[in-house]
Amino acid sequence: MARKVVITGLGATTPIGGDVPTMWQNALKGVSGAHTLGDEWVAKYDLPVHFAARCSVPALDVLSRVEAKRMDPSTQFGVIAAREAWADSGIDEIDHDRLAVAFATGIGGVWTLLDAWDTLREKGPRRVLPMTVPMLMPNGVAAAVSLDLGARAGAHTPVSACASGTEAMHLGLELIRSGKADVVVCGGAEAAIHPMPMAAFSSMQALSRRNDDPERASRPYDVDRDGFVMGEGAGALVLEAEEHALARGARIYAELAGTSVTADAYHITAPDPQGLGATRALKAAMFDGRIQAEDVVHVNAHATSTPVGDKPEYTALRAALGSHVDNVAVSATKSQMGHLLGASGAVEAVLTVLAVYERKAPVTINLENQDPEIPLDVVTSVRDLPSGDIVALSNSFGFGGHNAVIAVRNV
Amino acid sequence: MASNEEILAGLAEIVNEETGLAPEAVELDKSFTEDLDIDSISMMTIVVNAEEKFGVRIPDEEVKNLKTVGDAVSFIANAQA
């Protein structure tokens, strides 16, 4: 019998709230975190997209100036979320050799890398800061969280584009089940609202160009969806072996019942139109958690609002859940906060855990004309989830054909 | 040409910016590593910022000889002379 893994701490900093309580209240209300960017670089480089979803609370309002200086913005967000999750877990004494970190990112320290390149060209090699390498490395955030919490059972960085945050949850579950750790701080962090990634995502036609109406640009499942909205931030969760949580009398939000990771091996960026990899991921996570289709009441969908991405996820959900998919309350929370790339899976995991714990499904905004090819029961105003035993799923898919799914059960 | 007092004040400002230490804590007889707890990465950042502020060059092989704040003030004053 595998060790049961539960979730005992939550943290987040996002475009719709700088902490979990604020984010959750807004997620139930239905707000948009997307706004026109005031940065001079938007006009300077004539970027085709003029808006994004920035974190509602700047990292420098939370961290001290000196500690922030040594962290890339992505790491700043990750450390803020991890500290909130850790405090929320109430853990005060722990064997630090049994505490691990699995903290993901999609892109890593892109601000640091490009700032250093600008400095090199403008001022020469002497002015490139000695902290550049530890700040730009993709494991920087996992390392910073490990250092901050004294986690010595390993600090891991799953990197699978927009599936990274969910893959961190998968890895965390495996670390506890296999006995390598008792507690794992899992999460994802991203800070890529920089002109270069904005230009690169634009050039692949992935971003919405609704410049005249940013708040209504992220519209998963709507017939007029035209791309995702770049977001930023971090989410963090404390995963704990059930016996460890019970022994200290912890408040338990939910069980992380099952997880999975699969690969499409179909195309480097395009999703498999049949959603076969996603279907296998859904089925594998359900099998892993001993879950029947009928147990599932809620899905936090990947649903980025791209014309090509939203439909294969529906196809996969129908393939995995059968006709029961019609009874499932689906939330597309990227409609509110945009796409946090490697952090999205972690933030959505936080929302999925709260949905099970509070028995409420968060809101999908901007759904005006639902795509008739995606007949899901989309939650557009806050909805109660049923009493009794329930399971919620959260999906994440990433460029490279990465699929990751988590299944969360009430306790 | 900055006086030794001006160099000390400028250095204290750079140290404060990098480490958050109060500028008053940056005194001539203080050791960068022992007293001020400045690691090698911070030290290199301080050195580069001091070069820019005082218009001097502090060669990498000199940095290890700058044990105290006073050593750094003297080096910068001599380099400016």
Side-chain angles (χ1 to χ4, degrees), chain A residues 65-66 69-70 126-127, chain B residues 17 42 48 51 58 60:
Chain A
R65 176 178 57 82
V66 171
K69 264 173 83 95
R70 288 188 158 219
R126 184 77 174 160
R127 298 293 301 168
Chain B
E17 175 68 24
S42 283
V48 171
E51 286 183 341
I58 307 174
D60 288 350

Side-chain angles (χ1 to χ4, degrees), chain A residues 240-404:
Chain A
E240 194 167 351
E242 185 188 44
E243 78 272 7
H244 192 277
L246 291 174
R248 67 183 184 88
R251 179 262 333 272
I252 295 174
Y253 284 108
E255 178 192 3
L256 181 59
T259 62
S260 69
V261 169
T262 66
D264 282 353
Y266 170 80
H267 185 275
I268 189 65
T269 55
D272 173 355
Q274 303 301 313
L276 295 177
T279 304
R280 281 189 295 115
L282 280 158
K283 287 182 172 171
M286 289 165 63
F287 179 80
D288 188 43
R290 311 282 185 268
I291 293 159
Q292 305 300 314
E294 294 68 32
D295 302 334
V296 178
V297 298
H298 170 59
V299 172
N300 187 306
H302 183 63
T304 62
S305 177
T306 59
V308 295
D310 293 2
K311 176 133 187 288
E313 183 178 18
Y314 161 68
T315 307
L317 283 167
R318 183 160 293 277
L321 298 175
S323 61
H324 178 71
V325 74
D326 298 328
N327 307 321
V328 174
V330 177
S331 299
T333 47
K334 288 185 182 79
S335 61
Q336 297 195 45
M337 63 175 82
H339 191 350
L340 277 59
L341 309 180
S344 65
V347 170
E348 288 157 18
V350 171
L351 292 170
T352 306
V353 168
L354 284 171
V356 168
Y357 184 65
E358 303 279 356
R359 293 186 189 258
K360 283 185 192 306
V363 170
T364 306
I365 63 169
N366 298 329
L367 185 63
E368 289 170 328
N369 295 301
Q370 188 165 348
D371 187 335
E373 294 186 359
I374 310 179
L376 287 167
D377 180 8
V378 182
V379 178
T380 53
S381 61
V382 65
R383 193 182 307 175
D384 290 335
L385 296 176
S387 56
D389 286 339
I390 58 172
V391 169
L393 306 175
S394 178
N395 298 332
S396 294
F397 311 121
F399 287 156
H402 305 278
N403 310 294

